[in-house]
Amino acid sequence: MRGYGRSSKAAIKDDHSQQSKRGVARDLVRLMHRLGHEQFAVAGHDRGCYVALRLALDHPHAVRQLVVMDGVPISEALARCDARFAAAWWHWFFFAQPGKPERAILADPDAWYAGSPERMGRDNYEEFRAATRDPATVRAMLEDYRAGLTVDLEHELAGPRQITCPTLFLWSTEDDMEQLYGDPLAIWREWAADIRGVPIESGHHMAEENPAAVAAALTGFLSGSRRPAASSTRRTRPRPAAPRP
């Protein structure tokens, strides 16, 4: 994702388009072409699933298979926004405000971004702490959310809305996908004709909390199996209380 971690920081534009999922998707297509891949599979989790979706919609000739994890299209989430969604996902709307989120986060990064060396590993933890204390990185992450509620939403509403490649949706059973949407797979059926889904027994960070189930589902799908492996080998970790970076 542009601007996250130690990646380069694009110049901020008034319309936040420097962080648009369309722009990031274009980056990835160019990168894969430079590496010699005209077609490829793409998988994205949370904010990354919006990029993966945009890539499949804007570059259908390039995306062979699509995996979206623990998210629904931004326009679908906002269309269903109610008091429960606003209470759980308030950070979407706070992060979209100009100026103030940066000041709040940088005043006490540990209050916003939970983490520990025990859960993340010492090296990962130190890099994570450095990133969340870097004003340029924090602003870039916020710009990703600002783009989400503006230019990315506009792109989704303008179309196209039909994914042409085989698509897999994974969602975590201990996060709020089912509480918010009932059957979240039903939302993705409106976007992809060839769609299948696998629930993963984990919290939101499924790749870290239940890597065996995620790997089995991805392997089954990307290898051409019609039925990805079901969720298994549950490993529970507490869900972070802080907003997702």
Side-chain angles (χ1 to χ4, degrees), residues 73 84-85 108 115 164 208 214 217 225 230 236:
R84 180 171 55 179
F85 181 92
D108 188 359
T164 58
E208 291 79 13
V214 173
S225 170
T236 301

Side-chain angles (χ1 to χ4, degrees), residues 81-93 176 180 239 241 243:
C81 181
D82 54 14
R84 180 171 55 179
F85 181 92
W89 291 71
W90 59 271
H91 60 283
W92 267 30
F93 309 103
D176 55 6
L180 289 173
R239 180 182 173 187

Side-chain angles (χ1 to χ4, degrees), residues 5 9 31 45 51 61 64 75 80 107 110 114 116 135 204 239:
K9 318 304 180 191
L31 172 63
H45 176 264
V51 174
H61 59 283
R64 187 176 62 250
S75 58
R80 292 164 173 77
D110 287 332
S116 71
H204 177 66
R239 180 182 173 187

Side-chain angles (χ1 to χ4, degrees), residues 101-115:
E102 288 92 332
R103 295 175 61 187
I105 291 169
L106 291 168
D108 188 359
D110 287 332
W112 289 88
Y113 298 115

Side-chain angles (χ1 to χ4, degrees), residues 200 205-217 232-233 235:
I200 302 294
H205 299 98
M206 60 177 67
E208 291 79 13
E209 297 180 31
N210 197 343
V214 173
S232 61
T233 319
R235 298 199 311 174

Side-chain angles (χ1 to χ4, degrees), residues 122-205:
R122 172 60 63 180
D123 290 344
N124 291 335
Y125 178 67
E126 292 300 334
E127 186 163 352
F128 155 78
R129 291 191 84 244
T132 55
R133 282 156 177 75
D134 175 20
T137 300
V138 169
R139 187 176 188 193
M141 292 191 292
L142 293 171
E143 283 291 312
D144 176 41
Y145 283 85
R146 290 163 181 158
L149 294 187
T150 55
V151 63
D152 295 331
L153 176 61
E154 293 169 8
H155 291 161
E156 280 191 15
L157 294 175
R161 292 173 53 96
Q162 189 62 47
I163 300 165
T164 58
C165 64
T167 302
L168 172 67
F169 173 53
L170 306 181
W171 71 97
S172 52
T173 59
E174 296 172 19
D175 200 14
D176 55 6
M177 282 281 109
E178 294 175 351
Q179 286 76 20
L180 289 173
Y181 306 118
D183 177 11
L185 181 59
I187 296 175
W188 281 106
R189 290 193 187 103
E190 298 298 317
W191 290 74
D194 186 355
I195 180 80
R196 65 216 72 168
V198 177
I200 302 294
E201 293 186 21
S202 74
H204 177 66
H205 299 98

